[in-house]
């Protein structure tokens, strides 16, 4: 890492990008700008506005630390502590998955397929709370429950609900679907159930990008031997969690849509269908309770 303490903002951006490129970062120029915007305050727009200004000693130290962490493949969202999802700003920590654009497919599906105007939403494996809070931001009269096995993740979700002005309509409960009786604690039944459960086959985790493999919570990644363990539990629970005619929407991994559709069909759900994300991957599988 070059000594950035003697550089202007523009020079620092040009010095940082090759370091990130050498660490295997896909978009090093963009990420250099994002890291600089974080260090300067005010976001990436500040980088262009201040490109001829020298970095202060504190800014240079903060930038060197941020670049060193990113070169170790700590996710950008964890370094800056934020991520946009559904045009909303979410706090992110190492205790949660980073909200991803692919998951917006779940929100889109719920908004399109939900019966009438839902009054209640359940988010299983809520993490940052991004799915639940995005839906509550659209359904102004609805309230919801976010569930996670991690108390640390729930603390992040509560912070996000407060930051988005949704704390009065969102409750967060610790429950672990690997434990007996977990569903009885959630209340309901609900109009809509959404979930982005762990779905990576255990043997595939070692081959994930280091940003995910080494820095995101394994509990939120591992879906067992075939990646379907969580779906088997959650689909069985839908009968007690959904109102008649209520909607369930699951995020699924690559090539998992048919398997999850089959689980929902075997459970007696109606109108089972899949929706592709922007990359053409069948990402959201939804169904209606009979």
């Amino acid at each position: 890492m070059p000594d950035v303490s003697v550089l202007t903002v523009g020079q620092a951006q040009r010095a940082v990008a090759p370091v990130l490129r050498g660490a295997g970062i896909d978009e090093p120029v963009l990420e250099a700008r994002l890291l600089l915007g974080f260090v300067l305050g005010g976001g990436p727009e500040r980088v262009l506005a201040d490109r001829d200004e020298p970095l202060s000693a504190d800014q240079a130290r903060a930038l060197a630390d941020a670049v060193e962490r990113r070169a170790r493949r700590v996710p950008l969202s964890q370094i800056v502590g934020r991520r946009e999802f559904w045009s909303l700003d979410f706090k992110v920590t190492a205790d949660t998955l980073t909200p991803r654009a692919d998951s917006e497919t779940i929100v889109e599906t719920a908004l399109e397929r939900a019966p009438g105007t839902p009054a209640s939403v359940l988010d299983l494996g809520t993490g940052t709370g991004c799915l639940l809070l995005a839906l509550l931001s659209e359904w102004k009269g609805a309230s919801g429950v976010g569930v996670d096995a991690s108390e640390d993740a729930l603390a992040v979700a509560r912070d996000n609900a407060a930051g988005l002005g949704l704390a009065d309509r969102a409750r967060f409960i610790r429950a672990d679907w690997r434990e007996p009786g977990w569903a009885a604690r959630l209340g309901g039944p609900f109009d809509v159930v959404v979930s982005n459960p762990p779905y990576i086959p255990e043997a595939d985790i070692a081959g994930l990008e280091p940003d995910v493999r080494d820095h995101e919570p394994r509990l939120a990644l591992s879906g067992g031997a075939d990646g379907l363990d969580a779906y088997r539990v959650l689909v069985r629970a839908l009968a007690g969690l959904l109102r008649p005619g209520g909607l369930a929407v699951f995020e699924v991994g690559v090539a998992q849509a048919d398997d999850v559709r089959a689980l929902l069909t075997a459970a007696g759900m109606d109108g089972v269908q899949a929706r592709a994300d922007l990359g053409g991957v069948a990402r959201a599988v939804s169904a209606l309770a009979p």
Side-chain angles (χ1 to χ4, degrees):
M1 174 73 187
D3 181 3
V4 295
S5 63
V6 295
L7 301 181
T8 66
V9 169
Q11 290 169 337
Q13 181 182 9
R14 292 190 291 274
V16 164
V19 177
L20 299 179
R21 184 179 294 109
I25 304 301
D26 288 338
E27 298 183 282
V29 174
L30 172 62
E31 293 211 13
R33 185 181 178 200
L34 293 172
L35 288 174
L36 262 168
F38 164 66
V39 166
L40 296 173
E45 296 81 8
R46 180 87 179 273
V47 177
L48 181 61
D50 290 358
R51 64 185 180 278
D52 296 324
E53 297 295 321
L55 290 174
S56 71
D58 287 344
Q59 290 169 341
R61 282 191 292 269
L63 179 61
D65 177 69
V67 172
E68 187 273 333
R69 293 180 68 200
R70 189 66 184 109
R72 288 191 286 108
R73 303 301 293 269
V74 176
L76 179 66
S77 60
Q78 292 182 20
I79 296 171
V80 304
R82 317 297 304 179
R83 182 63 172 254
E84 181 182 297
F85 180 85
W86 202 254
S87 299
L88 303 171
D89 183 44
F90 286 88
K91 175 182 177 179
V92 177
T93 75
D95 299 304
T96 66
L97 293 182
T98 297
R100 290 170 170 81
D102 291 344
S103 297
E104 293 189 352
T105 311
I106 284 65
V107 179
E108 293 167 353
T109 302
L111 292 174
E112 288 185 8
R113 296 204 71 196
T117 303
S120 58
V121 184
L122 174 65
D123 179 10
L124 297 168
T126 196
T128 60
C130 64
L131 295 180
L132 173 64
L133 298 174
L135 289 170
L136 294 184
S137 76
E138 297 286 344
W139 292 325
K140 305 300 184 185
S143 61
V145 175
V147 176
D148 207 284
S150 166
E151 288 286 4
D152 292 328
L154 291 171
V156 174
R158 291 187 184 101
D159 285 347
N160 283 325
L164 294 170
L166 296 169
D168 60 333
R169 295 196 280 131
R171 292 189 302 120
F172 295 95
I173 298 173
R174 187 201 172 274
D176 188 335
W177 56 66
R178 298 169 302 177
E179 299 172 354
W182 67 274
R185 303 177 51 202
L186 308 184
F190 298 87
D191 295 322
V192 175
V193 174
V194 295
S195 182
N196 177 14
Y199 55 68
I200 307 298
E202 184 65 29
D204 293 350
I205 290 180
L208 296 175
E209 285 292 311
D211 310 49
V212 176
R213 180 192 66 220
D214 299 336
H215 299 285
E216 295 203 328
R218 193 180 185 95
L219 182 64
L221 296 173
S222 177
D226 62 358
L228 301 174
D229 281 3
Y231 300 107
R232 294 186 180 98
V233 175
L234 299 180
V235 168
R236 286 197 302 270
L238 289 177
L241 294 173
L242 271 179
R243 299 186 192 280
L247 175 71
V249 187
F250 292 103
E251 178 165 334
V252 299
V254 175
Q256 290 180 327
D258 287 346
D259 289 328
V260 176
R261 289 176 67 171
L263 289 171
L264 288 163
T265 299
M269 298 289 285
D270 295 330
V272 182
Q273 59 183 246
R275 179 189 179 109
D277 61 23
L278 291 176
V281 174
R283 185 67 63 186
V285 176
S286 59
L288 298 166

